[in-house]
């Protein structure tokens, strides 16, 4: 019998638990997570290892958590902080008074994906006369462009990157521009390999065709300018480049702010205008939204503001130097191991490597590194590019670099000894022959069980990655959607 006087279940307790109990539960759950601090997790997190910074950001977040960015006139504090963040990002990326892009404007969004969706939306809505708009991106562009294209019903024209340089040929980008193209995009740098696209040539071609050009600097926009100041040969990639009409930079990445803050910049207000959504045709308040969300917490914005104020230009310069040295140390560690090779010489804050023909199985190596407390990100083979291991390097990694080399060598030896993950031949055959539509829930459940998924222990993923690697992209997508769906079940 269901007691209808009570609906407690899941997170909803019957009578409420004490505050310290609730917090203890959060902490207990957090214990199962990858370590967000300490420089051993090479994806998802950005840690400057600056003492006191987390506390400052948390205190600032608390001050503004209940403030609503829905109406900038009701909460001028948020408007002021947002404008200050946009001003800072504009400066870092070559805009503002005294530059060739003095009229840069922007908005704070919830993250890189939202910034890219809005860049595509602004480009699309600037051309209502184009019935079937298209965008041109290199194959190395972040998947968020594909998401934007999907959400906004814009066609995606993908230009392959060279397997040697990992960059698109600017001539091929130019050739992909059609009369319906509303945006050309490139990365500075790409997430997967950390290489900077030939922005000047691509933006030039876009300008010549009268098309907008977005530079996705979500990942590296806050480090490349500092690396250049430190003497690194960073190519032109920002608003100093003619033809660049918009840029994105994530403050929750290398500006080291807590999650939930990115900045989307446009060269001028006219370019930004179609980004807004406005609606007065209902009985409630007139909705004017520069971004996708309507109600927006002030917490992330205040936390980012306090972070930038505290670290300052000198702080970011110092952190970029520390990170650069860590990148160099990790790259040396990779070079020193037989059987591995760098996908590209590092030119930003990514170290990406693959195995040589006689090298270890990469997915087993990733597991062996995990077993030694190093959490790296495997990347599947794609369009002629081999599978690789991605390391996002932040300042917190620097003190760990000396430990990484010996552990990497050790993990490679262990991976060689183990050999590739044993995948039952019928499973491998399935991966190459199955069409996404043939995937039934039962089949997926069977696959998941066969691969040991759903048991909570996700430290040995080589078999899963080997299976996915053997599958074409559409099947990878379907399999992972189904696997994630298995994880996302209500806790009653
Ligand atoms: C180059 C680039 N663009 C966009 C994104 C998407 O950012 P987010 O995960 O904040 O939505 C990322 C994330 O890593 C990125 O590296």
């Amino acid at each position: 019998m269901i007691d209808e006087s009570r609906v407690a279940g899941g997170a909803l307790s019957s009578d409420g638990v004490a505050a310290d109990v609730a917090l203890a539960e959060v902490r207990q759950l957090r214990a199962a997570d990858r370590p967000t601090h300490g420089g051993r997790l090479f994806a998802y997190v950005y840690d400057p290892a600056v003492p006191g910074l987390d506390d400052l950001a948390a205190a600032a977040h608390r001050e503004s958590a209940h403030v609503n960015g829905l109406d900038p006139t009701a909460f001028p504090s948020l408007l002021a902080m947002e404008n200050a963040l946009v001003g800072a990002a504009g400066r870092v990326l070559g805009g503002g008074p005294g530059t060739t892009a003095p009229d840069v404007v922007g908005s704070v969004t919830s993250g890189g994906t939202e910034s890219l969706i809005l860049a595509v939306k602004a480009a699309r809505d600037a051309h209502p006369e184009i019935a079937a708009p298209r965008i041109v991106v290199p194959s190395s562009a972040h998947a968020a462009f594909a998401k934007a294209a999907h959400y906004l019903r814009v066609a995606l024209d993908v230009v392959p990157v060279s397997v040697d340089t990992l960059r698109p040929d600017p001539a091929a980008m130019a050739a992909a521009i059609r009369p319906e193209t509303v945006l050309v995009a490139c990365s500075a740098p790409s997430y997967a390999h950390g290489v900077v696209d030939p922005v000047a040539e691509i933006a030039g071609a876009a300008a010549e065709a009268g098309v907008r050009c977005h530079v996705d600097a979500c990942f590296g926009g806050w480090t490349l300018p500092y690396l250049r100041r430190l003497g690194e040969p960073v190519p032109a990639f920002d608003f100093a480049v003619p033809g660049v009409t918009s840029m994105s930079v994530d403050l929750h990445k290398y500006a080291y702010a807590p999650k939930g803050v990115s900045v989307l910049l446009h060269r001028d207000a006219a370019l930004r205008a179609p980004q807004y959504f406005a609606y007065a045709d209902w009985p409630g308040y007139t909705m004017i939204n520069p971004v996708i969300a309507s109600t927006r917490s002030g917490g992330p914005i205040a936390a980012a503001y306090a972070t930038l104020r505290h670290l300052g230009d000198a702080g970011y310069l110092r952190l970029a130097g520390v990170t650069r040295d860590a990148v160099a140390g990790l790259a040396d560690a990779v070079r020193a191991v037989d059987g591995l090779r760098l996908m590209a010489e590092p030119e930003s804050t990514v170290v990406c490597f693959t195995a040589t023909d006689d090298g270890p199985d990469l997915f087993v190596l990733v597991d062996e590194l995990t077993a030694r407390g190093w959490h790296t990100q495997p990347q599947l083979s794609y369009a002629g590019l081999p599978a690789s291991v991605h390391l996002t390097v932040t300042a917190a990694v620097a003190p760990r670099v000396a430990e990484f080399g010996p552990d990497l060598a050790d993990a490679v030896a262990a991976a060689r000894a183990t050999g590739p993950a044993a995948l039952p031949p019928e499973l491998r055959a399935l991966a190459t022959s199955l069409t996404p539509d043939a995937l039934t829930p039962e089949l997926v459940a069977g696959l998941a069980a066969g691969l040991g998924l759903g048991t909570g222990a996700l430290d040995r993923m080589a078999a899963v990655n080997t299976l996915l690697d053997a599958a074409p992209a559409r099947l990878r997508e379907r399999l992972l959607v189904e696997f994630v769906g298995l994880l996302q079940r209500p806790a009653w």
Side-chain angles (χ1 to χ4, degrees):
M1 266 282 283
I2 295 174
D3 173 3
E4 291 190 348
S5 66
R6 295 222 155 184
V7 292
L12 185 64
S13 63
S14 299
D15 299 304
V17 299
D20 59 340
V21 172
L23 193 57
E25 287 178 6
V26 172
R27 291 193 171 130
Q28 194 193 339
L29 288 166
R30 286 273 295 106
D33 292 347
R34 297 282 193 243
T36 54
H37 294 70
R40 284 177 164 271
L41 174 53
F42 292 103
Y44 315 114
V45 298
Y46 299 80
D47 178 13
V50 170
L53 190 65
D54 277 355
D55 290 339
L56 169 65
H61 191 287
R62 191 164 53 237
E63 287 296 326
S64 296
H66 294 284
V67 170
N68 194 341
L70 174 65
D71 181 350
T73 63
F75 302 105
S77 68
L78 216 50
L79 182 63
M81 286 189 273
E82 179 164 355
N83 285 342
L85 292 177
V86 170
R91 279 270 186 217
V92 166
L93 294 176
T99 71
T100 52
D103 302 320
V104 163
V105 293
S107 316
V108 173
T109 73
S110 65
T113 299
E114 187 180 357
S115 289
L116 298 185
I117 291 173
L118 288 168
V120 175
K121 180 212 174 316
R124 184 197 67 172
D125 289 356
H127 288 284
E129 80 286 0
I130 298 181
R134 322 182 66 89
I135 62 173
V136 175
V137 300
S139 59
S140 55
H142 195 276
F145 282 109
K147 182 172 177 176
H150 180 72
Y151 277 20
L152 297 166
R153 288 187 189 271
V154 167
L156 191 65
D157 291 317
V158 179
V159 174
V161 296
S162 146
V163 291
D164 299 319
T165 65
L166 307 172
R167 293 175 176 81
D169 172 8
M173 292 288 289
I177 300 174
R178 303 196 207 174
E180 302 81 25
T181 304
V182 295
L183 183 73
V184 175
C186 54
S187 315
S190 63
Y191 176 80
H193 308 115
V195 300
V196 180
D197 287 339
V199 173
E201 291 93 325
I202 293 170
E208 204 164 297
V211 175
R212 293 181 182 219
C213 175
H214 182 85
V215 177
D216 177 9
C218 283
F219 183 82
W222 213 268
T223 45
L224 290 178
Y226 288 104
L227 291 174
R228 179 187 289 141
R229 276 164 61 183
L230 289 166
E232 297 299 317
V234 173
F237 74 97
D238 61 15
F239 282 113
V241 177
V244 171
T245 53
S246 59
M247 295 194 73
S248 46
V249 57
D250 292 356
L251 304 189
H252 63 202
K253 293 191 169 78
Y254 283 99
Y256 293 120
K259 301 272 181 279
V261 191
S262 167
V263 176
L264 171 60
L265 299 165
H266 296 273
R267 190 178 279 275
D268 59 46
L271 288 162
R272 180 178 62 176
Q275 180 189 316
Y276 285 88
F277 176 80
Y279 198 74
D281 211 358
W282 73 304
Y285 57 87
T286 297
M287 199 160 88
I288 310 290
N289 292 156
V291 297
I292 295 176
S294 196
T295 283
R296 278 198 291 163
S297 168
I301 292 174
Y305 176 85
T307 302
L308 262 67
R309 296 296 298 155
H310 184 57
L311 290 177
D313 186 55
Y316 286 115
L317 188 63
R318 183 187 71 77
L319 290 167
V322 171
T323 308
R324 175 194 58 180
D325 295 347
V327 166
L330 294 175
D332 281 346
V334 171
R335 283 189 202 98
V337 179
D338 232 21
L340 300 182
R341 73 172 171 85
L342 291 167
M343 287 289 290
E345 282 304 312
E347 54 185 271
S348 59
T349 54
V350 171
V351 174
C352 182
F353 60 89
T354 186
T356 58
D357 288 344
D358 56 354
D361 181 273
L362 222 47
F363 301 131
V364 175
L365 173 61
V366 165
D367 286 351
E368 290 297 336
L369 284 168
T370 307
R372 288 161 181 76
W374 301 101
H375 306 283
T376 61
Q377 193 170 49
Q379 300 182 137
L380 304 178
S381 57
Y382 167 80
L385 300 174
S388 59
V389 177
H390 169 106
L391 309 182
T392 286
V393 184
T394 59
V397 174
R400 300 264 166 247
V401 171
E403 299 157 40
F404 183 75
D407 277 356
L408 180 65
D410 200 39
V412 166
R416 281 187 189 280
T418 311
L423 204 58
E426 62 279 10
L427 222 55
R428 190 182 286 274
L430 216 57
T432 44
S433 62
L434 205 64
T435 59
D437 297 338
L439 268 186
T440 61
E442 295 71 32
L443 195 56
V444 172
L447 273 176
L451 291 164
L453 287 172
T455 56
L458 291 177
D459 282 347
R460 292 271 159 190
M461 294 292 285
V464 177
N465 285 322
T466 304
L467 176 75
L468 291 171
D469 200 58
R474 292 289 93 78
L475 184 58
R476 288 176 187 173
E477 292 160 3
R478 265 306 302 280
L479 278 169
L480 284 171
V481 164
E482 297 292 340
F483 287 160
V484 171
L486 290 176
L487 298 176
Q488 292 202 291
R489 289 291 153 91
W492 296 113

